[in-house]
Amino acid sequence: RIAAIDGADAAAGWSAEMTHDLVQLVKTQTALADPQDVPLLSEVKRAFKRAGVPRLGAREAAVLLMQEYLSPRTLPKSEDSTHLGKEFLRMVQSGSMLEARRSL
């Protein structure tokens, strides 16, 4: 997905080790700084330049994708099928068949 970013074409040629190193760098720096500031940090900037992604816009997009990979966004309860199934089962078990039917 990173190679599809405009200006990050070099990502297509990254080895698994290089990708792992960049993801670990982003993980470490995200823990130390605000997530939106990570692409601006000199260590991150140097690493991405060495990896062939010198432009800030491409680096920001790549770091954002890595951050999303490291801590995926949770679905809201209204979209989470596991939560909806548990809620439905709870309604059926409590005898609220009318509410259970409405939630279908």
Side-chain angles (χ1 to χ4, degrees):
R1 291 179 46 194
I2 293 174
I5 297 170
D6 185 34
D9 306 335
W14 291 352
S15 66
E17 182 181 355
M18 178 181 278
T19 304
H20 180 283
D21 291 347
L22 288 170
V23 169
Q24 290 306 310
L25 175 64
V26 168
K27 180 180 180 179
T28 303
Q29 296 303 323
T30 300
L32 300 174
D34 289 331
Q36 66 271 16
D37 292 338
V38 171
L40 304 173
L41 299 174
S42 61
E43 188 175 351
V44 174
K45 185 177 178 179
R46 280 193 305 271
F48 274 87
K49 278 187 174 184
R50 281 192 307 270
V53 184
R55 290 186 26 235
L56 175 61
R59 188 169 63 244
E60 287 176 330
V63 167
L64 181 63
L65 282 175
M66 289 178 182
Q67 288 170 332
E68 288 174 358
Y69 167 76
L70 290 166
S71 57
R73 184 180 68 94
T74 57
L75 290 174
K77 287 184 177 181
S78 62
E79 296 176 21
D80 185 5
S81 61
T82 304
H83 172 73
L84 295 174
K86 287 179 183 178
E87 188 67 21
F88 179 78
L89 183 60
R90 186 190 59 74
M91 284 186 264
V92 169
Q93 289 174 339
S94 70
S96 305
M97 290 302 293
L98 184 60
E99 285 182 40
R101 283 190 192 135
R102 261 192 257 147
S103 70
L104 288 175

